[in-house]
Amino acid sequence: MKIFVNDREWANDGELVKTLAKNNQVVKSIKIDGQEYAGTLEQALNEKQVREIRIETGSLAELLIEVKTSVKHYLPTVRDSMLRVGRFFQTGRESEAFSLAVQIIDGLEWLLEAIANINLAEPGFLPEERITTFKDKLQGLLKAWENRDYVLVGDLFEYELVPFLDEWEAALSEKICFNKN
């Protein structure tokens, strides 16, 4: 098996994980035999019948900038989609709302994970209580969905969740920290 790190063949057979950690490098992506790999580096290195592993790394600071940039670009899209779903549910266009809402919920999972990672790297970027409140609002949305109260689902998207996205977008745009210290 050949291993490439940032397009350079890895000559040292062992200690790749330790070397990356020692050099403050984080794994950005892994490809096994040309296919994206979703597991960890340790799992990739233990895969059987592999011809080639390609690993892209970067510093934590670089990765943080990439995550913030991705979140910043994604927020307006998900915000607009939430507003559309809200209007669809409120006007009885439920079939259109359903398909878009499922996509939004998947996107919100990624968004919450990204925000949590930003908070880990920059404690206080968003106060934990704001993230918890957002998650509570999502639980309310899921309960309304289960109860088939789609007008409430629309209202929750439009009036309860969108303001959080606006707040997060402002935080990213202004590079502010919400800590009140």
Side-chain angles (χ1 to χ4, degrees):
M1 162 181 21
K2 289 188 174 188
I3 300 173
F4 294 86
V5 178
N6 298 329
D7 294 324
R8 289 186 168 166
E9 189 167 0
W10 178 254
N12 188 348
D13 281 343
E15 307 300 322
L16 176 58
V17 174
K18 287 182 183 178
T19 301
L20 292 177
K22 182 178 148 189
N23 292 324
N24 295 316
Q25 294 291 297
V26 293
V27 175
K28 292 166 52 176
S29 69
I30 301 172
K31 287 186 179 180
I32 294 181
D33 294 332
Q35 301 296 313
E36 290 291 332
Y37 183 76
T40 66
L41 177 57
E42 292 86 350
Q43 292 168 332
L45 294 173
N46 288 319
E47 288 285 336
K48 305 293 183 221
Q49 299 180 355
V50 172
R51 291 185 312 274
E52 178 181 279
I53 298 177
R54 290 193 171 268
I55 304 157
E56 184 181 340
T57 69
S59 71
L60 185 56
E62 291 169 336
L63 187 60
L64 185 60
I65 288 168
E66 287 179 24
V67 169
K68 283 181 172 181
T69 301
S70 294
V71 168
K72 185 177 177 182
H73 286 101
Y74 182 66
L75 282 170
T77 302
V78 75
R79 179 189 186 283
D80 292 345
S81 295
M82 282 182 161
L83 292 172
R84 285 183 34 224
V85 164
R87 284 188 224 104
F88 287 161
F89 275 129
Q90 293 160 355
T91 58
R93 296 165 60 190
E94 293 173 358
S95 63
E96 292 171 86
F98 287 139
S99 64
L100 189 54
V102 169
Q103 294 172 24
I104 290 170
I105 290 169
D106 288 342
L108 289 176
E109 290 176 7
W110 173 84
L111 185 62
L112 282 170
E113 185 178 328
I115 294 291
N117 287 330
I118 292 170
N119 254 10
L120 281 174
E122 292 181 10
F125 176 76
L126 287 174
E128 199 59 42
E129 67 269 8
R130 296 301 291 155
I131 296 170
T132 300
T133 302
F134 184 81
K135 288 179 181 178
D136 291 344
K137 302 278 186 195
L138 280 178
Q139 288 302 315
L141 178 114
L142 294 175
K143 188 166 181 75
W145 188 289
E146 288 171 1
N147 293 333
R148 300 187 191 319
D149 188 347
Y150 301 125
V151 172
L152 179 57
V153 169
D155 286 348
L156 289 171
F157 268 125
E158 190 169 351
Y159 301 112
E160 297 289 332
L161 296 174
V162 165
F164 283 90
L165 302 184
D166 292 339
E167 177 183 309
W168 297 347
E169 189 173 14
L172 285 165
S173 294
E174 299 170 18
K175 298 181 183 177
I176 61 172
C177 179
F178 285 89
N179 263 345
K180 305 287 189 218
N181 298 348

